[in-house]
Amino acid sequence: MPQSPDDLDAVAVRTWCSLALRALGAEREEIDAINVYPVADGDTGTNLYLTVESAAQAVEAVFAAHGTVTGPPVSAPLLVDAVRAMAHGALIGARGNSGTILSQLLRGMAGELAGGERADGDGLRRALRRAASAAYEAVAHPVEGTVLTVATAAADAAADADAGATAAAVARAAYEGARTALARTTDQLAVLGRAGVVDAGGRGLVAVLGALVEALTGEPVAVRPQTPHGQLVDDDCSADHADEGGPAFEVIYLLEADDAAVGRLRARLDGLGDSLVVVGGDGLWNVHVHVDDAGAAVEAGVEAGRPYRIRITHFGADRVAPPRERAQRAVVAVVPGEGLLALCAEAGATTVLARPGEPPVSGELVDAIRRAHAREVVLLPNDADLRHTAAAAAQQVRTEGVRVALIPTRAAVQGIAALAVHEPGRRFDEDVVAMTSAAGATRYAELAVAERQSWTTVGVCQAGDVLGLIDGDVAVIGTDVAVTARTVLDRMLSAGGELVTLVLGDGVPDDLADVLEAHVRGRHLAVDTVTYRGGRQSAPLLIGIE
């Protein structure tokens, strides 16, 4: 069958993610305002936005790997690469009940679309049906009048589209079907009827499907849904409309576990609470549940496998406690491994964990700045690649009246140096200057293991070689971690230095620190060494010289 210009390919997926993010950004506050089910916590729009932001970043990474960030493509990504990245990004970044379900919808679509370079109308029909089925299966106790109902209606409408319809025509049919179903949710779920609103998660899905239509046709769709009576949805609904007496906590975590363990986990969590959604597969899952015993929910994850990125939210906290007074100043730091979390927290920082291959998105940084609850915030990204992400987060929070200073720290050791001179009692500008100066005076290096043969500034490296990077550039190629580390230290200390900071990653033996400390002590007089365990970080060794 000849390909249609309206078919879905990798470029269309990229455009879809970008447009969906823009649409949810525009509607985020309104969707938050109508969020009354399953809990009136007013964050569905925000959660959907953060979920799609993670998906979009994953797709952009695929295009970057193909040299297609700007300019003509060097080698265009395949549809399978784009949809799998989209689904994985949504999975690891899913937030809240609706975000978790959306990630499973995208995963279901990806499973069907991964078979070719493009998807025509029939392929998209099958993908939408598989998405709706996957979402229903992920929810322990499906409820009609929710995003599940809207997703099923979209799949039904797509199936009823004309035979031979293009992907663009099928997408438009799905969008219109979802929009119609959304208007009916007010009458399907009692809590929505009392509030006079449509389902917030369903409205978010309509926005995502509208973005798909625009990506395939180039034509924007109607933005806001209509109720059955022709009225726009009520954006001023109060949390008082929500049913009271539900579980006190929302627990979310990523989980590395096999299918059998996840099956047992589902049964265990179903007995602990409600709103249980478990999505994912192939060893990686996103778990979401509402419970009264948050500790038991986390312990169940530990028994099943390895939970991480654990988030626990107390639903009633804002209603029970009076508003907390803002602190005058706070520091928010991105940390590359669990081992540095306690260190930075002891220094007074609010932390954001960056796991290997999973850099935080701007929404996570915005959340951290809000958690810091201060009038003035110093933001330490501690990674050169997070510069633009951190800048976007800072700019967003500035519109909320928070004074934010972004110090462009390029490595965790620079952030540690900045925290060491942080003094909340002095003027903000003076504190920022002192922290910036300390970070800038800290040269940084890291050891990495080459994944493949490659050209570097100092020659050709082979897969498995140990690379010593100084200030971001490859300076040493070796075969042994200790020998390469000693060479890197000698080169850096030849320019002077008074303090060496070593951050050891998982799998690095403890005696490496002893070996390197003895080397520094023997070769470089009056230079002190301090060592930290970084935990699971991207580099086996981080080095700082002050």
Side-chain angles (χ1 to χ4, degrees):
M1 180 182 294
Q3 294 177 342
S4 163
D6 293 331
D7 286 348
L8 186 68
D9 60 8
V11 173
V13 170
R14 182 190 197 186
T15 304
W16 177 24
C17 288
S18 175
L19 292 173
L21 190 62
R22 186 179 70 184
L24 289 170
E27 297 190 49
R28 178 183 62 81
E29 291 185 0
E30 294 182 356
I31 295 174
D32 282 347
I34 63 169
N35 173 200
V36 298
Y37 181 85
V39 175
D41 46 357
D43 62 358
T44 292
T46 299
N47 288 337
L48 289 170
Y49 178 88
L50 293 173
T51 302
V52 172
E53 182 182 46
S54 182
Q57 287 198 337
V59 173
E60 287 302 318
V62 168
F63 276 80
H66 285 263
T68 53
V69 175
T70 58
V74 175
S75 58
L78 298 176
L79 175 61
V80 60
D81 299 324
V83 295
R84 284 178 177 170
M86 173 184 67
H88 181 73
L91 175 68
I92 65 174
R95 303 284 286 273
N97 189 71
S98 294
T100 306
I101 293 174
L102 177 61
S103 76
Q104 188 71 350
L105 288 167
L106 296 178
R107 180 179 175 83
M109 291 188 70
E112 188 64 44
L113 296 173
E117 294 184 9
R118 304 172 71 93
D120 59 11
D122 287 339
L124 185 56
R125 288 181 223 263
R126 293 192 299 271
L128 290 166
R129 177 61 66 198
R130 185 165 173 178
S133 299
Y136 264 94
E137 292 168 2
V139 178
H141 302 285
V143 174
E144 296 305 323
T146 64
V147 63
L148 298 175
T149 307
V150 176
T152 298
D156 290 343
D160 292 339
D162 293 340
T166 64
V170 170
R172 188 175 291 279
Y175 168 74
E176 294 297 342
R179 196 164 177 254
T180 300
L182 177 63
R184 291 197 294 262
T185 60
T186 305
D187 299 323
Q188 289 177 298
L189 201 56
V191 65
L192 301 181
R194 290 195 297 272
V197 299
V198 296
D199 179 65
R203 179 167 170 183
L205 178 59
V206 168
V208 171
L209 290 173
L212 176 60
V213 174
E214 185 174 354
L216 291 171
T217 66
E219 301 172 0
V221 297
V223 175
R224 301 185 66 193
Q226 303 261 336
T227 69
H229 309 293
Q231 302 293 322
L232 290 173
V233 295
D234 178 4
D235 294 325
D236 292 319
C237 76
S238 166
D240 293 338
H241 293 300
D243 292 332
E244 300 295 337
F249 297 97
E250 177 185 58
V251 179
I252 306 173
Y253 49 79
L254 291 178
L255 177 71
E256 293 177 355
D258 59 36
D259 291 0
V262 170
R264 294 190 295 271
L265 176 66
R266 289 179 191 270
R268 173 85 181 275
L269 292 178
D270 195 24
L272 289 175
D274 59 28
S275 296
L276 173 61
V277 185
V278 181
V279 302
D282 301 320
L284 181 62
W285 308 83
N286 191 305
V287 179
H288 170 281
V289 67
H290 294 173
V291 294
D292 283 319
D293 189 344
V298 175
E299 289 172 6
V302 173
E303 292 176 5
R306 190 179 78 85
Y308 59 99
R309 282 198 180 182
I310 300 168
R311 296 180 60 86
I312 300 174
T313 302
H314 184 202
F315 290 126
D318 291 338
R319 294 191 292 270
V320 173
R324 180 163 56 100
E325 180 68 21
R326 281 187 180 272
Q328 181 59 34
R329 188 174 309 156
V331 177
V332 173
V334 178
V335 181
E338 296 94 335
L340 294 180
L341 284 175
L343 174 68
C344 293
E346 288 173 7
T350 298
T351 58
V352 179
L353 182 61
R355 292 185 173 275
E358 300 173 10
V361 296
S362 64
E364 291 179 86
L365 300 185
V366 169
D367 276 358
I369 295 172
R370 290 171 177 161
R371 287 201 315 272
H373 203 62
R375 299 181 181 89
E376 302 167 340
V377 173
V378 180
L379 180 57
L380 305 174
N382 295 337
D383 186 336
D385 292 336
L386 289 178
R387 180 184 58 183
H388 297 300
T389 301
Q395 185 58 38
Q396 180 175 340
V397 179
R398 287 183 186 120
T399 65
E400 301 173 8
V402 180
R403 189 179 183 189
V404 183
L406 170 59
I407 298 179
T409 48
R410 295 174 290 173
V413 289
Q414 290 188 325
I416 293 171
L419 275 171
V421 301
H422 168 54
E423 289 187 13
R426 62 186 165 197
R427 292 179 56 248
F428 184 61
D429 291 339
E430 293 176 354
D431 200 27
V432 171
V433 168
M435 295 176 71
T436 302
S437 177
T442 302
R443 288 164 289 146
Y444 66 96
E446 67 177 81
L447 264 58
V449 178
E451 296 180 355
R452 57 185 178 276
Q453 183 185 64
S454 179
W455 286 93
T456 76
T457 53
V458 293
V460 178
C461 68
Q462 304 296 327
D465 281 350
V466 180
L467 307 179
L469 292 85
I470 299 177
D471 293 336
D473 295 321
V474 177
V476 180
I477 299 176
T479 57
D480 179 82
V481 171
V483 173
T484 305
R486 286 198 294 265
T487 304
V488 169
L489 283 168
D490 289 341
R491 290 198 182 184
M492 297 181 74
L493 288 170
S494 66
E498 299 175 355
L499 176 65
V500 173
T501 300
L502 304 175
V503 182
L504 279 62
D506 273 354
V508 177
D510 290 330
D511 61 4
L512 176 63
D514 297 332
V515 169
L516 297 180
E517 184 173 353
H519 177 77
V520 171
R521 189 169 55 246
R523 296 282 299 270
H524 305 279
L525 299 178
V527 177
D528 294 324
T529 303
V530 59
T531 302
Y532 303 106
R533 269 288 178 183
R536 184 170 174 254
Q537 58 189 32
S538 58
L541 178 66
L542 304 177
I543 300 173
I545 305 289
E546 299 176 52

